[in-house]
Amino acid sequence: MPIDMVSTAALTCEPVPAKRDRNVWQSLQRGLAGPCPPCGEGKIFYRYLKVNDRCPACGEEFFHHRADDAPPYVTIVVVCHIVGTGILTLDTFKPNLPIMYHMLIWPALTLALCLLLLPLFKGAFISLQ
């Protein structure tokens, strides 16, 4: 292929759109709260952990963002630190507390914290992408 045809073909390609500058902290805050990171209007999730394909307000695409295993790992680390600290603190100040109280408090608190924090961390990881 002659050089003239290659350079002409390169000129006919559409230009790549420039990347938008974004505030990372604002995106992270919006991701933790749940609205669309660029516009703040639409929602990232349409169900508990199901990500919208596109923002209903601005059309930003979310289908290619992959959070995969990072949000559960961060959730486990945070919840284990909170619950572990609580167990040690309660056992230090109330050493004779019956085991039944521990069996009622800690699994319920662990489950509640995991269900609360997982969508927050997933939204944060998606917004950082």
Side-chain angles (χ1 to χ4, degrees):
M1 177 183 316
I3 295 176
D4 294 330
M5 289 181 69
V6 172
S7 61
T8 306
L11 292 175
T12 59
C13 292
E14 292 186 25
V16 177
K19 288 187 177 182
R20 296 180 293 196
D21 289 335
R22 67 181 178 109
N23 186 344
V24 175
W25 292 112
Q26 183 183 30
S27 293
L28 182 61
Q29 289 172 345
R30 286 181 178 170
L32 285 169
C36 173
C39 71
E41 299 289 322
K43 298 282 186 188
I44 295 176
F45 302 111
Y46 67 90
R47 288 182 47 201
Y48 178 64
L49 289 175
K50 300 290 184 182
V51 180
N52 277 327
D53 287 338
R54 289 177 172 37
C55 173
C58 70
E60 178 76 20
E61 296 176 342
F62 295 131
F63 64 87
H64 60 280
H65 293 295
R66 308 297 289 172
D68 294 334
D69 294 335
Y73 289 148
V74 173
T75 302
I76 289 169
V77 167
V78 170
V79 170
C80 286
H81 279 84
I82 292 170
V83 172
T85 303
I87 290 171
L88 291 174
T89 304
L90 186 62
D91 202 36
T92 301
F93 292 113
K94 293 264 190 192
N96 296 327
L97 190 66
I99 193 72
M100 192 61 167
Y101 289 114
H102 289 285
M103 290 173 57
L104 292 173
I105 294 170
W106 304 119
L109 182 64
T110 301
L111 183 64
L113 284 173
C114 285
L115 292 175
L116 176 75
L117 293 177
L118 186 57
L120 300 177
F121 291 138
K122 185 170 182 176
F125 275 97
I126 288 172
S127 69
L128 285 177
Q129 292 177 12

